[in-house]
Structure formats: structure tokens, C-alpha cells
Amino acid sequence: MIYSVENLTQTLDCDVLLALAQQEKGNLDFQRLSESRQTNRYGITSVELELSIQETIADIAAEESAIASLPDGNRKDERIFNKKQLEFKLVSLQHRKKSYGVIALLEQEMELGRVLKEIEEVDAFIAAVSARREELAA
């Protein structure tokens, strides 16, 4: 963006703007660090969740196969109970996937990208005001 720094007529005004911009940049740097760490965490978690979901689906299929081959009785009832527990686990994992899965990861990456663009813009502002300050000081 092109800033109308030519309207600045005193170095003191530049100093005030630079101080405010540096404070904003510090806040954005902190936010960038936080967003970056969270993005990394989401990336790891989304992979782990996907693996857990696939393992649980395979376990459910194995239980279904075992249940189909067993005669009625305690062992079959135990397998049915295990299958129900696995189905509950699958529902829980799928619910977590909404909060920490690939979609959440992409949203987090977008947020990180937004913060990085804001930092670029603050840097451009600082450069423009600094250049104007040097002109005024000369």
C-alpha cells in the first residue's frame, strides 16, 4: 500500500508512528509464533487422528468378522460389547477430527498466512515512515 507519508511534517510525528508500529509488530510477531505452534500441533494431531480412525475401522471390521463366526454365548457377547466400544471410539475420533483434523489444520494455516501478511504490511509502513523521517531530519 502506498502511504501518504508526505503529510508528515515533523520527525516527532514519525517517531510516534514508528513506536506504535513497532508495538503492533511485536504483537503480531507474538501472534505469528502462537499461530505457527498451533499449526504444527494441528498438523501432527490431524495425522494421528486419521491413523486412529483407520485403525478403529479395521478393528471394528475384525470384531464383526469374529462375531459372525461365533456361536451365541459369552464370547460372542464380549465381542459385541468390544465392537460397541470401538464404534463409540470411532464416533469420538470423528468428532475430534472436526476440531483438530485436516479442515481445522487448513483454517489454522490460513490464519497464520493472514498474520504473516499483516506483518509484511506493518514492515512496509515502518519502512515508509522511516524513510520520511530521514527526509525530515536532513
Side-chain angles (χ1 to χ4, degrees):
M1 180 172 182
I2 298 173
Y3 295 99
S4 54
V5 292
E6 66 277 352
N7 293 332
L8 295 170
T9 57
Q10 298 180 6
T11 59
L12 183 61
D13 292 339
C14 294
D15 291 339
V16 169
L17 285 171
L18 287 171
L20 291 171
Q22 288 295 343
Q23 183 179 9
E24 179 64 19
K25 185 170 185 211
N27 292 341
L28 287 169
D29 282 338
F30 178 78
Q31 188 176 0
R32 177 193 51 78
L33 178 63
S34 175
E35 297 292 345
S36 180
R37 286 182 177 170
Q38 196 167 5
T39 300
N40 288 338
R41 208 170 326 116
Y42 276 35
I44 292 166
T45 303
S46 69
V47 170
E48 290 172 350
L49 278 171
E50 202 56 49
L51 288 173
S52 292
I53 287 171
Q54 294 308 314
E55 288 174 359
T56 304
I57 289 171
D59 291 345
I60 290 171
E63 288 295 333
E64 287 174 343
S65 176
I67 290 168
S69 67
L70 288 174
D72 288 342
N74 286 342
R75 287 182 44 145
K76 186 172 187 172
D77 291 342
E78 287 175 17
R79 292 292 191 151
I80 291 171
F81 181 76
N82 288 342
K83 180 184 167 221
K84 294 291 182 191
Q85 285 182 317
L86 288 168
E87 289 171 342
F88 177 76
K89 179 181 178 182
L90 181 60
V91 169
S92 177
L93 287 169
Q94 289 170 335
H95 179 72
R96 282 188 61 210
K97 184 178 176 180
K98 291 177 187 174
S99 300
Y100 299 101
V102 174
I103 292 172
L105 171 63
L106 290 169
E107 288 176 334
Q108 191 60 38
E109 288 172 340
M110 180 187 68
E111 184 62 25
L112 177 59
R114 185 191 61 77
V115 171
L116 292 173
K117 291 291 185 188
E118 284 185 49
I119 290 171
E120 286 178 21
E121 193 61 37
V122 171
D123 285 341
F125 179 80
I126 290 171
V129 173
S130 294
R132 179 60 178 170
R133 187 186 187 294
E134 288 178 20
E135 287 176 16
L136 293 173

